[in-house]
Amino acid sequence: MRAFTRGHLLSILTVMAMAVGTLSVAPASAEPATQGDRVTVSDGTSLAVSIRGEQPLAARPTVVEFTPYGSSGAAFTVGPEYNYLLVQIRGTGDSNGSFDALGPKGQQDVVDVLQWACTQPWSNGDLAVAGFSASAIMIFNSLHQELPCVKAAVLRSGTFELYRDLLVPGGIPNTVVGLAVIMMIGAPTLAQSPDRMQRDPGSALAVVEGLLTTGLNAGLVHLALDDFWQQRGFRGDATKVPTLFLNGTFDVEPRGDYEGFKQMRAQGTPAQLQVTGAHDGAPKGTDGGRAAIDRWLDRYVRDIPNGVEDEPAVQMLASNGSRKGLIGGDYVRVEGDDWPLPGTTWESLYLTPDKSGGAKSLNDGSLSLAKPAKASKQFYLAATSLFTQSDPHVTALVDGGAQQALASIPGLTEANLSNLTGLTYTTQPLKNDVLAVGPGTLELSLSSLLPTTNVWAIVSDVAPDGKAHPLTTARLNTAFPKIVESKSLFRNGKLVQPYGDFSKSVAGTPGLTRQFHVEMWPVANQFKKGHRIQITLVGQSIQAPLGLPSINTVSLGGAQASSLTFPVAPGSNLAAALN
């Protein structure tokens, strides 16, 4: 177990290091000049910054990134029309202070540095903020403040809410990913410590304290959505900056950019969502959104009328059966004017005990449009599952996109092995193609032998050869059974995207059935004719903290029927495909 976990962690670190450098705005026409500097922010902390631009360094529009990954952590390169300012976040890299997990002090630093950058000789006063992953999260967390001189934003694979989008999704700590992030931040901080110690010997204690405290707070202390997490999520958009959101269909942080886009559109701010690849890699033959970034900055920073505002607000590359196929270039282009796509319908697929003939599992149950009239129950052992089969988002991060090292091992990234120990519910083969795009809900009636257990469900595309390709997950710690209705998404009276209430845990009574509304992260996949839709209930992924295994019992049919509320894109007809 320990050998596997160390290898898993190293893989995540390697891929995250690669991911930090994958995003670029445009290739530079010549070797740019880089100039180091330091900025003293309002509380007296000294931050390391560097400005890069074409020689001679002159006043130009400037793209600004706030990174915890040290002096080499830039996520962008820029063309000759722009300068690029890299800011090392407090308590990381060569910056003084104590890292506060992208919290209030770091957020104030964003304002202070932008105000400083407005007046520098290499800036013409027009700024853009840009970020990938942690540097995007820094901006998400800071949008409630007025951002001086900022004309546009480019945010890739960030979190709208750090708690529910990455570190504790569904109330289940994303432990290995969280540790990987801390180590990725700590590595360049350690590498740059000699320079920092020579410059300011007294800074070391605060730096170490910040990193250790962050790890403890995020992984052990704040397991409910309390004030600590509220300060590290979206709290409004004061500046209303035109924002380009980019993500990938299988990204480890899929939810944040969808939610950020929805917020911007709701308030009338220009926004575009491109799901073209991020941590999970860009499909073969595509540019990962580079051209879109160029056009967005040119339109809103340099005020070039290039028509970007007339393009579809949502542009996606959906998988055509599997993640491996998507990365290899087998995808479906999807466009729309909003998110979820206007015209989307949500079908209720009921979990039934009828044999589907589509899986080898404890039960081989069915997914059906008809609710079973007779009530029944089925049980499974909620033990640890293999992340490559039960968590496609973390798998995509570890696999490094186009490298596909894990996917090259037969069966390792298919759900079939996990199915053997879980409950599966599978449709009959589809009679026509069905495009599924959007969030969903697993309505689950469940009891457990323990007061709390972790619900973990895999949604897969089952090919005619029986291979089950994981697409997304639904997960929930049953200590959080409630939802916030005012923030949940309903369509025609049906709950299609629950907003879980993670503010306070409520343990259940062992053996007592309760109803849970489990959020399914967005799916974007075309289920081809002859393929099947499948959901599997298994134990939590091995990359989450290991808890006590439990026997969970699922109620099917009758008054306590369980069902999957499934998104069907405009132009597709799931009912016709199943009848």
Side-chain angles (χ1 to χ4, degrees):
M1 181 72 71
R2 274 179 282 176
F4 172 83
T5 304
R6 282 198 300 268
H8 178 195
L9 182 57
L10 289 173
S11 297
I12 289 179
L13 294 176
T14 300
V15 174
M16 289 186 71
M18 294 174 60
V20 167
T22 59
L23 185 59
S24 63
V25 175
S29 58
E31 185 66 26
T34 301
Q35 176 181 309
D37 204 344
R38 301 199 69 83
V39 181
T40 300
V41 293
S42 55
D43 71 350
T45 300
S46 174
L47 306 183
V49 303
S50 57
I51 180 69
R52 185 177 71 236
E54 293 299 298
Q55 303 181 41
L57 197 59
R60 302 185 183 99
T62 301
V63 178
V64 187
E65 180 186 2
F66 295 84
T67 180
Y69 297 128
S71 59
S72 60
F76 292 83
T77 58
V78 296
E81 303 86 2
Y82 298 91
N83 291 328
Y84 190 83
L85 177 66
L86 184 70
V87 183
Q88 298 180 47
I89 295 172
R90 64 168 55 220
T92 70
D94 193 27
S95 288
N96 286 15
S98 179
F99 181 56
D100 70 341
L102 315 180
K105 291 182 179 179
Q107 294 159 23
Q108 180 59 47
D109 293 347
V110 169
V111 175
D112 293 344
V113 171
L114 291 173
Q115 188 66 64
W116 169 82
C118 285
T119 61
Q120 296 308 297
W122 37 259
S123 169
N124 72 348
D126 292 332
L127 305 179
V129 288
F132 183 13
S133 196
S135 50
I137 297 170
M138 186 76 258
I139 300 303
F140 265 113
N141 292 359
S142 303
L143 288 173
H144 62 285
Q145 309 167 115
E146 290 282 352
L147 302 183
C149 303
V150 174
K151 307 298 182 184
V154 177
L155 302 179
R156 188 176 211 134
S157 188
T159 62
F160 192 69
E161 298 174 82
L162 187 56
Y163 178 94
R164 75 177 67 231
D165 297 350
L166 178 65
L167 294 183
V168 201
I172 304 172
N174 220 358
T175 304
V176 172
V177 172
L179 288 173
V181 171
I182 291 295
M183 293 182 70
M184 283 292 297
I185 294 171
T189 301
L190 180 63
Q192 294 179 237
S193 61
D195 291 338
R196 185 176 57 254
M197 290 293 292
Q198 185 175 9
R199 176 179 48 79
D200 184 0
S203 65
L205 182 60
V207 170
V208 173
E209 179 188 17
L211 292 174
L212 290 176
T213 300
T214 293
L216 290 173
N217 281 336
L220 294 175
V221 178
H222 300 279
L223 297 182
L225 207 167
D226 55 16
D227 288 343
F228 175 85
W229 293 111
Q230 295 287 359
Q231 293 175 342
R232 290 157 177 82
F234 180 83
R235 288 175 286 162
D237 179 22
T239 314
K240 295 181 171 55
V241 178
T243 303
L244 172 63
F245 298 93
L246 301 108
N247 214 314
T249 303
F250 292 92
D251 195 82
V252 72
E253 300 170 73
R255 186 179 178 277
D257 290 308
Y258 293 101
E259 297 305 307
F261 170 80
K262 284 167 55 177
Q263 176 65 34
M264 297 296 186
R265 293 278 292 182
Q267 66 187 22
T269 301
Q272 191 177 93
L273 171 65
Q274 293 224 2
V275 184
T276 54
H279 291 105
D280 52 341
K284 183 179 180 180
T286 66
D287 68 354
R290 289 189 177 98
I293 296 169
D294 282 346
R295 288 170 56 77
W296 194 263
L297 292 178
D298 284 347
R299 173 65 185 86
Y300 291 106
V301 180
R302 299 174 64 208
D303 200 25
I304 296 175
N306 55 16
V308 74
E309 66 271 28
D310 298 323
E311 296 175 356
V314 177
Q315 302 175 41
M316 308 180 70
L317 302 181
S319 55
N320 198 22
S322 71
R323 173 181 147 265
K324 183 178 180 180
L326 171 70
I327 293 299
D330 184 14
Y331 53 81
V332 178
R333 291 189 179 273
V334 180
E335 295 180 347
D337 294 327
D338 207 349
W339 181 263
L341 299 176
T344 298
T345 58
W346 279 265
E347 293 281 1
S348 293
L349 292 172
Y350 290 92
L351 282 60
T352 83
D354 301 332
K355 300 295 183 181
S356 73
K360 294 180 180 179
S361 64
L362 294 176
N363 66 325
D364 183 28
S366 293
L367 275 179
S368 173
L369 292 169
K371 181 172 74 171
K374 183 180 179 181
S376 62
K377 295 181 182 292
Q378 295 184 330
F379 66 89
Y380 68 101
L381 175 64
T384 303
S385 60
L386 184 60
F387 82 96
T388 60
Q389 301 205 344
S390 62
D391 195 337
H393 304 288
V394 169
T395 300
L397 172 67
V398 175
D399 215 13
Q403 294 182 56
Q404 292 286 290
L406 295 177
S408 66
I409 302 174
L412 190 60
T413 58
E414 296 153 10
N416 299 74
L417 184 60
S418 292
N419 285 351
L420 295 175
T421 61
L423 296 177
T424 62
Y425 301 92
T426 313
T427 66
Q428 291 302 304
L430 301 175
K431 296 177 181 178
N432 50 257
D433 295 349
V434 173
L435 181 62
V437 179
T441 307
L442 173 60
E443 298 285 1
L444 191 66
S445 294
L446 181 135
S447 66
S448 179
L449 290 184
L450 296 178
T452 62
T453 187
N454 288 333
V455 171
W456 199 285
I458 317 164
V459 177
S460 301
D461 181 315
V462 183
D465 63 4
K467 292 180 180 178
H469 301 284
L471 302 171
T472 190
T473 58
R475 68 190 101 183
L476 181 67
N477 182 334
T478 61
F480 301 104
K482 300 180 180 179
I483 65 169
V484 181
E485 289 203 8
S486 62
K487 292 187 176 183
S488 298
L489 183 63
F490 292 83
R491 287 290 187 269
N492 298 321
K494 182 179 293 187
L495 175 62
V496 300
Q497 185 181 14
Y499 187 90
D501 184 353
F502 300 109
S503 60
K504 184 179 180 181
S505 62
V506 181
T509 301
L512 179 66
T513 299
R514 292 192 292 174
Q515 181 76 18
F516 298 97
H517 312 284
V518 189
E519 180 182 9
M520 182 187 84
W521 275 1
V523 65
N525 180 72
Q526 179 168 255
F527 293 82
K528 290 177 282 191
K529 179 181 178 180
H531 287 227
R532 303 172 186 240
I533 303 167
Q534 181 181 88
I535 187 165
T536 307
L537 296 173
V538 293
Q540 67 194 44
S541 166
I542 196 170
Q543 62 84 22
L546 300 181
L548 293 175
S550 182
I551 301 294
N552 293 342
T553 302
V554 180
S555 296
L556 310 175
Q560 294 183 320
S562 297
S563 64
L564 175 64
T565 306
F566 197 67
V568 182
S572 286
N573 189 329
L574 181 58
L578 290 176
N579 289 324

